[in-house]
PDB file of all heavy atoms in Angstrom:
ATOM      1  N   ILE X 246      87.204 138.084  87.743  1.00 97.00           N
ATOM      2  CA  ILE X 246      87.507 138.890  88.924  1.00 97.00           C
ATOM      3  C   ILE X 246      89.015 139.090  89.038  1.00 97.00           C
ATOM      4  O   ILE X 246      89.781 138.135  89.130  1.00 97.00           O
ATOM      5  CB  ILE X 246      86.976 138.203  90.194  1.00 97.00           C
ATOM      6  CG1 ILE X 246      85.453 138.067  90.104  1.00 97.00           C
ATOM      7  CG2 ILE X 246      87.374 138.986  91.441  1.00 97.00           C
ATOM      8  CD1 ILE X 246      84.829 137.290  91.243  1.00 97.00           C
ATOM      9  N   GLY X 247      89.438 140.345  89.007  1.00 95.00           N
ATOM     10  CA  GLY X 247      90.861 140.672  89.097  1.00 95.00           C
ATOM     11  C   GLY X 247      91.432 141.048  87.745  1.00 95.00           C
ATOM     12  O   GLY X 247      91.603 140.185  86.886  1.00 95.00           O
ATOM     13  N   MET X 248      91.702 142.333  87.570  1.00 95.00           N
ATOM     14  CA  MET X 248      92.175 142.804  86.275  1.00 95.00           C
ATOM     15  C   MET X 248      93.684 142.997  86.237  1.00 95.00           C
ATOM     16  O   MET X 248      94.205 144.049  85.847  1.00 95.00           O
ATOM     17  CB  MET X 248      91.458 144.110  85.895  1.00 95.00           C
ATOM     18  CG  MET X 248      90.000 143.922  85.507  1.00 95.00           C
ATOM     19  SD  MET X 248      89.800 142.921  83.989  1.00 95.00           S
ATOM     20  CE  MET X 248      89.392 141.323  84.687  1.00 95.00           C
ATOM     21  N   ASN X 249      94.421 141.957  86.657  1.00 92.00           N
ATOM     22  CA  ASN X 249      95.854 141.948  86.387  1.00 92.00           C
ATOM     23  C   ASN X 249      96.041 141.593  84.910  1.00 92.00           C
ATOM     24  O   ASN X 249      95.059 141.467  84.162  1.00 92.00           O
ATOM     25  CB  ASN X 249      96.563 140.945  87.304  1.00 92.00           C
ATOM     26  CG  ASN X 249      95.880 139.579  87.301  1.00 92.00           C
ATOM     27  OD1 ASN X 249      95.316 139.160  86.298  1.00 92.00           O
ATOM     28  ND2 ASN X 249      95.905 138.906  88.433  1.00 92.00           N
ATOM     29  N   ARG X 250      97.267 141.411  84.483  1.00 89.00           N
ATOM     30  CA  ARG X 250      97.496 141.133  83.055  1.00 89.00           C
ATOM     31  C   ARG X 250      96.791 139.851  82.616  1.00 89.00           C
ATOM     32  O   ARG X 250      96.207 139.776  81.537  1.00 89.00           O
ATOM     33  CB  ARG X 250      99.002 141.031  82.776  1.00 89.00           C
ATOM     34  CG  ARG X 250      99.329 140.852  81.300  1.00 89.00           C
ATOM     35  CD  ARG X 250     100.817 140.940  81.054  1.00 89.00           C
ATOM     36  NE  ARG X 250     101.338 142.261  81.379  1.00 89.00           N
ATOM     37  CZ  ARG X 250     102.623 142.591  81.269  1.00 89.00           C
ATOM     38  NH1 ARG X 250     103.509 141.697  80.859  1.00 89.00           N
ATOM     39  NH2 ARG X 250     103.015 143.802  81.581  1.00 89.00           N
ATOM     40  N   PHE X 251      96.838 138.834  83.462  1.00 90.00           N
ATOM     41  CA  PHE X 251      96.185 137.560  83.153  1.00 90.00           C
ATOM     42  C   PHE X 251      94.674 137.755  83.022  1.00 90.00           C
ATOM     43  O   PHE X 251      94.053 137.297  82.062  1.00 90.00           O
ATOM     44  CB  PHE X 251      96.505 136.546  84.253  1.00 90.00           C
ATOM     45  CG  PHE X 251      95.857 135.205  84.072  1.00 90.00           C
ATOM     46  CD1 PHE X 251      96.332 134.301  83.136  1.00 90.00           C
ATOM     47  CD2 PHE X 251      94.763 134.835  84.844  1.00 90.00           C
ATOM     48  CE1 PHE X 251      95.738 133.061  82.973  1.00 90.00           C
ATOM     49  CE2 PHE X 251      94.166 133.604  84.692  1.00 90.00           C
ATOM     50  CZ  PHE X 251      94.645 132.707  83.749  1.00 90.00           C
ATOM     51  N   GLY X 252      94.088 138.460  83.993  1.00 92.00           N
ATOM     52  CA  GLY X 252      92.650 138.692  83.979  1.00 92.00           C
ATOM     53  C   GLY X 252      92.202 139.522  82.788  1.00 92.00           C
ATOM     54  O   GLY X 252      91.162 139.243  82.171  1.00 92.00           O
ATOM     55  N   GLN X 253      92.972 140.561  82.464  1.00 94.00           N
ATOM     56  CA  GLN X 253      92.621 141.403  81.317  1.00 94.00           C
ATOM     57  C   GLN X 253      92.675 140.610  80.012  1.00 94.00           C
ATOM     58  O   GLN X 253      91.767 140.713  79.175  1.00 94.00           O
ATOM     59  CB  GLN X 253      93.577 142.597  81.238  1.00 94.00           C
ATOM     60  CG  GLN X 253      93.393 143.616  82.352  1.00 94.00           C
ATOM     61  CD  GLN X 253      94.336 144.791  82.197  1.00 94.00           C
ATOM     62  OE1 GLN X 253      94.456 145.379  81.129  1.00 94.00           O
ATOM     63  NE2 GLN X 253      95.035 145.142  83.268  1.00 94.00           N
ATOM     64  N   THR X 254      93.733 139.841  79.842  1.00 91.00           N
ATOM     65  CA  THR X 254      93.871 139.037  78.622  1.00 91.00           C
ATOM     66  C   THR X 254      92.736 138.031  78.501  1.00 91.00           C
ATOM     67  O   THR X 254      92.154 137.841  77.424  1.00 91.00           O
ATOM     68  CB  THR X 254      95.220 138.300  78.621  1.00 91.00           C
ATOM     69  OG1 THR X 254      96.280 139.248  78.708  1.00 91.00           O
ATOM     70  CG2 THR X 254      95.392 137.466  77.364  1.00 91.00           C
ATOM     71  N   ASP X 270      86.867 144.635  89.635  1.00 96.00           N
ATOM     72  CA  ASP X 270      88.179 144.976  90.182  1.00 96.00           C
ATOM     73  C   ASP X 270      88.050 146.261  90.999  1.00 96.00           C
ATOM     74  O   ASP X 270      87.157 147.085  90.746  1.00 96.00           O
ATOM     75  CB  ASP X 270      89.215 145.152  89.071  1.00 96.00           C
ATOM     76  CG  ASP X 270      90.646 145.140  89.597  1.00 96.00           C
ATOM     77  OD1 ASP X 270      91.146 146.203  90.014  1.00 96.00           O
ATOM     78  OD2 ASP X 270      91.253 144.053  89.592  1.00 96.00           O
ATOM     79  N   ILE X 275      91.566 150.959  85.669  1.00 95.00           N
ATOM     80  CA  ILE X 275      91.667 149.775  84.815  1.00 95.00           C
ATOM     81  C   ILE X 275      90.287 149.326  84.353  1.00 95.00           C
ATOM     82  O   ILE X 275      90.074 149.005  83.179  1.00 95.00           O
ATOM     83  CB  ILE X 275      92.386 148.627  85.558  1.00 95.00           C
ATOM     84  CG1 ILE X 275      93.841 148.993  85.818  1.00 95.00           C
ATOM     85  CG2 ILE X 275      92.297 147.334  84.757  1.00 95.00           C
ATOM     86  CD1 ILE X 275      94.619 147.965  86.615  1.00 95.00           C
ATOM     87  N   CYS X 311      91.019 135.726  89.160  1.00 93.00           N
ATOM     88  CA  CYS X 311      92.379 136.003  88.686  1.00 93.00           C
ATOM     89  C   CYS X 311      93.139 136.894  89.663  1.00 93.00           C
ATOM     90  O   CYS X 311      94.225 137.369  89.344  1.00 93.00           O
ATOM     91  CB  CYS X 311      92.323 136.681  87.317  1.00 93.00           C
ATOM     92  SG  CYS X 311      91.361 135.801  86.079  1.00 93.00           S
ATOM     93  N   TYR X 312      92.562 137.144  90.807  1.00 86.00           N
ATOM     94  CA  TYR X 312      93.108 138.082  91.783  1.00 86.00           C
ATOM     95  C   TYR X 312      94.562 137.768  92.096  1.00 86.00           C
ATOM     96  O   TYR X 312      94.929 136.637  92.377  1.00 86.00           O
ATOM     97  CB  TYR X 312      92.281 138.015  93.064  1.00 86.00           C
ATOM     98  CG  TYR X 312      92.170 139.325  93.806  1.00 86.00           C
ATOM     99  CD1 TYR X 312      91.399 140.371  93.304  1.00 86.00           C
ATOM    100  CD2 TYR X 312      92.825 139.522  95.009  1.00 86.00           C
ATOM    101  CE1 TYR X 312      91.276 141.567  93.988  1.00 86.00           C
ATOM    102  CE2 TYR X 312      92.711 140.718  95.705  1.00 86.00           C
ATOM    103  CZ  TYR X 312      91.939 141.737  95.190  1.00 86.00           C
ATOM    104  OH  TYR X 312      91.822 142.921  95.871  1.00 86.00           O
ATOM    105  N   SER X 313      95.419 138.792  92.055  1.00 76.00           N
ATOM    106  CA  SER X 313      96.857 138.557  92.243  1.00 76.00           C
ATOM    107  C   SER X 313      97.411 139.252  93.487  1.00 76.00           C
ATOM    108  O   SER X 313      98.600 139.502  93.577  1.00 76.00           O
ATOM    109  CB  SER X 313      97.626 139.032  91.007  1.00 76.00           C
ATOM    110  OG  SER X 313      97.401 140.408  90.776  1.00 76.00           O
ATOM    111  N   GLY X 314      96.527 139.554  94.439  1.00 73.00           N
ATOM    112  CA  GLY X 314      97.003 140.144  95.686  1.00 73.00           C
ATOM    113  C   GLY X 314      97.567 139.065  96.587  1.00 73.00           C
ATOM    114  O   GLY X 314      98.253 138.141  96.137  1.00 73.00           O
ATOM    115  N   ARG X 337      92.836 130.970  89.955  1.00 91.00           N
ATOM    116  CA  ARG X 337      94.244 130.963  89.559  1.00 91.00           C
ATOM    117  C   ARG X 337      95.117 130.776  90.799  1.00 91.00           C
ATOM    118  O   ARG X 337      94.991 131.513  91.771  1.00 91.00           O
ATOM    119  CB  ARG X 337      94.607 132.279  88.875  1.00 91.00           C
ATOM    120  CG  ARG X 337      96.071 132.362  88.461  1.00 91.00           C
ATOM    121  CD  ARG X 337      96.439 133.765  88.067  1.00 91.00           C
ATOM    122  NE  ARG X 337      97.824 133.851  87.617  1.00 91.00           N
ATOM    123  CZ  ARG X 337      98.474 134.975  87.413  1.00 91.00           C
ATOM    124  NH1 ARG X 337      97.869 136.122  87.631  1.00 91.00           N
ATOM    125  NH2 ARG X 337      99.721 134.972  86.999  1.00 91.00           N
TER     126      ARG X 337
END
Side-chain angles (χ1 to χ4, degrees):
I246 298 175
M248 288 296 100
N249 49 32
R250 184 172 296 179
F251 178 75
Q253 290 182 49
T254 301
D270 195 274
I275 294 177
C311 307
Y312 213 71
S313 59
R337 179 192 182 191

